[in-house]
Amino acid sequence: AAWLVATSPAFLFMLMWPMRDIPAAFWAALSVWLVLQAGTVTALFAGAAAAVGVLTRPNFVLIAGAMFGWLVLLALARQERTTSARRAAAFLLGVSPAAVITVLLNLRWFGRPLASGYGTTSELLHSDRVVTNVSRYGGWLVDTSPLLLVGVVAILLPLSVLWARPVWRLPMLFASIVASTLSVYLVYQP
């Protein structure tokens, strides 16, 4: 995985100019790694890492939401629901301050909770851009990182050979994070 990142043209391009994508990717990786660990304290730290991700890049809130949703599903599916529910609550406790801070800053700086320095949500995001963006981003992915498609296939095929834990849990987490990340870019005006 490290080799794929280190040789990714998009990653290397973003290293040359100061952009928030690389730090946000770090916070995403750290929060996912922490959320996969057992224990309530690590779930709190996962939420805190996700909080820094939200403060780094506000649309990270969708990734944090995917992780929280995954923890809630685990709580509903497990025998030890109290422990799993505590983990979900700890994650939410860790990430919530960033969401509140982001809303307050946006209100102060731009006059609306969902506005940003890039424009309003309605200016930046619209569903009529999905077809164009799927074609554009899909083409770029195949042109620059065809090996990454192997990872996508691994997520979509919940094979017990690839996933040691119960089959649906990890692929569901990774697929929901990918879907939450893509959801913004598919409706974004580039």
Side-chain angles (χ1 to χ4, degrees), residues 59 62-63 66 175-186:
N59 65 355
L62 298 172
I63 296 171
S176 65
I177 289 171
V178 168
S180 66
T181 303
L182 286 178
S183 67
V184 173
Y185 291 103
L186 292 181

Side-chain angles (χ1 to χ4, degrees), residues 61-82:
V61 74
L62 298 172
I63 296 171
M67 286 187 276
F68 176 69
W70 184 74
L71 287 168
V72 168
L73 284 174
L74 285 183
L76 295 173
R78 287 195 169 165
Q79 298 288 337
E80 61 276 356
R81 287 190 177 161
T82 304

Side-chain angles (χ1 to χ4, degrees), residues 23-24 26-27 46-58 60 94-95 98:
F26 166 77
W27 293 115
V52 178
V54 169
L55 293 173
T56 303
R57 190 167 178 91
F60 194 98
V95 77

Side-chain angles (χ1 to χ4, degrees), residues 1 28-37 62-63 66-67 70 151-158 162-165 167-182:
L30 180 61
S31 58
V32 168
W33 180 75
L34 288 167
V35 87
L36 291 173
Q37 307 307 308
L62 298 172
I63 296 171
M67 286 187 276
W70 184 74
V152 173
V153 170
I155 288 172
L156 297 176
L157 294 175
L162 298 174
W163 306 99
R165 295 185 186 179
V167 172
W168 65 272
R169 292 180 182 165
L170 291 177
M172 180 179 283
L173 172 63
F174 294 134
S176 65
I177 289 171
V178 168
S180 66
T181 303
L182 286 178

